[in-house]
Amino acid sequence: MRGAVIHAPGDVRFEPLDDPRILQSTDAIIRTAVTCVCGSDLWPYRGLDTVDEAHPMGHEYVGFVEEVGSEVTALRPGQFVVGSFATSDNTCANCRNGFQSNCLNREFMSTCQAEYVRIPNAQGTLVATDEVPGEEFWPGLLAVSDVMGTGWWAADAAEVEPGSTAVVVGDGAVGLCAVIAAKERGTERIIAMSRHESRQNLAREFGATDIVTERGEEGVARIKDLTEGIGADAVLECVGTAQAMRQALHSARPGGNVGFVGVPHEVRIDGQELFFSHVGLRGGPAPVRRYLPDLLDRVLTGRIDPGKVFDLTLPLDQVAEGYRAMDERRAIKALLEP
Amino acid sequence: MRGAVIHAPGDVRFEPLDDPRILQSTDAIIRTAVTCVCGSDLWPYRGLDTVDEAHPMGHEYVGFVEEVGSEVTALRPGQFVVGSFATSDNTCANCRNGFQSNCLNREFMSTCQAEYVRIPNAQGTLVATDEVPGEEFWPGLLAVSDVMGTGWWAADAAEVEPGSTAVVVGDGAVGLCAVIAAKERGTERIIAMSRHESRQNLAREFGATDIVTERGEEGVARIKDLTEGIGADAVLECVGTAQAMRQALHSARPGGNVGFVGVPHEVRIDGQELFFSHVGLRGGPAPVRRYLPDLLDRVLTGRIDPGKVFDLTLPLDQVAEGYRAMDERRAIKALLEP
């Protein structure tokens, strides 16, 4: 089969790879229906994470079960399945607490921009749809496996409640999905921070009521103007930089919450500043598995369409162009079709 | 009148001071019934906070209303009142959200180890008891004004729930009151971290089910042993040092919560470590005012007795000895009687 391999920053190639095979009795092999490029894939692509040696890429997928290990009794070949970038047995203490992305047997997916993928912990990770959904649903279901699940988690971690005011920091695919999540959870006012017109438009379509284009302390001042001078109830930090985290912490009201879902890079939080702010903080890799049944239902009933974050569709063999387009911000998110 | 003044680290004197008087129409003057020395008073006493010039000390008090400003209509001279170390108008947006210790008109109390005290924002800050309580209740009510209110907040911030497992880091008065709070909130297992026999005994009397004497990573390992290997649902950090915060963060399970109520000194939190831990974090000065009606009721009905944290009682004019005894850990907390 063929798949994407990163050789160095800026150098992603689509090349022949060994077919994945069942390594453990809890594995499954899936044939990729659609996959995509993630904002977090840009960290190594931009050289902000090191690339010590060439390795496959990709952690988002929906597909068809091709083969299952002997312990995978609840799945059968031919089923259409949705998973998560973090695999989970869905039975350990952390899974039972709803933190499947911290499963004691967790493996992070990293080979999904390919024609076939091995899924560890398949039974606990994959959710099969009742029937094979129409192709028009595939982008939305693919989004659920990562960016929509992560946006939902941002809202959950920020304890978004009906009637509250939420700020979304970051206008990438996760930020835009976080707007969907805030809207679905009954937020009254959703302030999206964005400087890009196409992203502002999508944010508004997803439910944003206000757009703030300013950044840094100016951005914070605009948020305060919109929130009785005290800040927002909930802030969904969907970037991961020190600047974005500072923006988020300063935009939340005393007693409000920041949910942070972008992997933090060079972020240090001053304990005394956090203390006097009274702001609650929770982040982490999204426990997508917890939300899968609910989010699949929302997509398949047409209630939400997070697939709209894909504004570029390419054949999988043009994966390198997907990286380039996202790196240059020509695309929000690139869908890849095998 | 007379009161305590710190002149330099280690140098607290009881000396003549001007009588406090009404400065604003929202002030009240109270005659101190009892006051005390706080663990946080030891920061400047030990030179860990700077003492640039001599200044009065103390922020815990219960007392009798002596005089009120013209806007203080709900209080009258002679009433017995309990307040908080942070004053609040109890009407601003932050107060309405339950974060009175972040009141937009907040003033921190700092002159309470004295015979008379001026209370700003008196109407929003002070709660009067129906009648003057017996002197046997005064220590408990005094505790409510700070350490018990703070222990309750630690449990609240750590989202302690019935049936959960809680760890209390810190065996000072706040930590011991946090044990009371965890118990009252229905925690099934309360693990107190303490190396001091008298404090361990009081922790057990207050409801601790387990004592852990180890510290650092050894302490964390003991907590994991007691919690299915994953850590506690809730950790109540009642110290404020970098070591205590590290201990707390490492003792919470993925998805668990740390409530931190000791003013952080030199605490830096690594964003990426917090992210992958999935631990929720909230701290700050306790919004004691929010809890006052409930906690007064629990003390006056005899349901809780946080006054037991006072294991040394001195005449107010021996306040310096109170500092010494606490600094040398001869006393958990010193009660001062004018």
Side-chain angles (χ1 to χ4, degrees), chain A residues 7 27 37 54 90 101 105 108 124 126 137 143 147 181 225 235 240 253 274-275 286 307-308:
Chain A
H7 287 261
D27 289 348
V37 182
N90 218 17
S101 45
N105 289 307
F108 282 114
L126 300 174
F137 290 109
V147 289
D225 285 346
V235 182
R253 70 163 170 83
L274 185 66
F275 181 86
K308 286 184 179 161

Side-chain angles (χ1 to χ4, degrees), chain A residues 257 264 272 278 281-282 285, chain B residues 257 264 268 272 278 281-282 285:
Chain A
N257 289 282
Q272 197 161 110
H278 274 129
L281 188 59
R282 186 195 299 282
Chain B
N257 289 283
R268 297 273 178 292
Q272 196 161 111
H278 274 130
L281 188 57
R282 187 194 299 282

Side-chain angles (χ1 to χ4, degrees), chain A residues 93-94 96-97 99 101-102 108 153 159 228 230 253-257 260-264 267-272 274-285, chain B residues 93-94 96-97 99 101-102 108 153 159 228 230 253-257 260-264 267-272 274-285:
Chain A
N94 289 334
R96 291 197 309 276
N97 284 325
F99 286 83
S101 45
N102 222 313
F108 282 114
W153 159 239
E159 299 183 20
E228 289 188 87
I230 59 170
R253 70 163 170 83
N257 289 282
F260 65 110
V261 300
V263 181
V267 172
R268 297 273 179 293
I269 299 151
D270 180 75
Q272 197 161 110
L274 185 66
F275 181 86
F276 284 105
S277 77
H278 274 129
V279 170
L281 188 59
R282 186 195 299 282
Chain B
N94 288 336
R96 292 197 308 276
N97 284 326
F99 286 83
S101 45
N102 221 312
F108 282 114
W153 159 239
E159 300 184 20
E228 287 189 88
I230 59 170
R253 69 162 170 84
N257 289 283
F260 66 110
V261 301
V263 181
V267 172
R268 297 273 178 292
I269 299 151
D270 180 76
Q272 196 161 111
L274 185 65
F275 181 86
F276 285 105
S277 77
H278 274 130
V279 170
L281 188 57
R282 187 194 299 282

Side-chain angles (χ1 to χ4, degrees), chain A residues 219-334:
Chain A
V220 170
R222 282 286 297 132
I223 300 294
K224 295 274 172 85
D225 285 346
L226 294 168
T227 54
E228 289 188 87
I230 59 170
D233 301 309
V235 182
L236 290 59
E237 197 288 284
C238 303
V239 182
T241 62
Q243 187 195 18
M245 181 65 100
R246 199 162 43 241
Q247 175 89 63
L249 288 170
H250 293 183
S251 297
R253 70 163 170 83
N257 289 282
V258 170
F260 65 110
V261 300
V263 181
H265 285 71
E266 312 278 331
V267 172
R268 297 273 179 293
I269 299 151
D270 180 75
Q272 197 161 110
E273 187 183 328
L274 185 66
F275 181 86
F276 284 105
S277 77
H278 274 129
V279 170
L281 188 59
R282 186 195 299 282
V288 173
R289 180 63 186 82
R290 191 199 322 169
Y291 309 128
L292 274 186
D294 175 54
L295 291 178
L296 291 189
D297 187 62
R298 288 177 201 257
V299 168
L300 291 170
T301 57
R303 193 175 156 79
I304 62 174
D305 187 5
K308 286 184 179 161
V309 297
F310 296 106
D311 56 351
L312 175 66
T313 298
L314 295 168
L316 178 55
D317 61 12
Q318 290 180 35
V319 55
E321 167 58 14
Y323 277 79
R324 269 194 303 275
M326 286 176 61
D327 179 39
E328 295 164 9
R329 290 180 81 87
R330 284 185 280 117
I332 298 173
K333 194 166 176 71

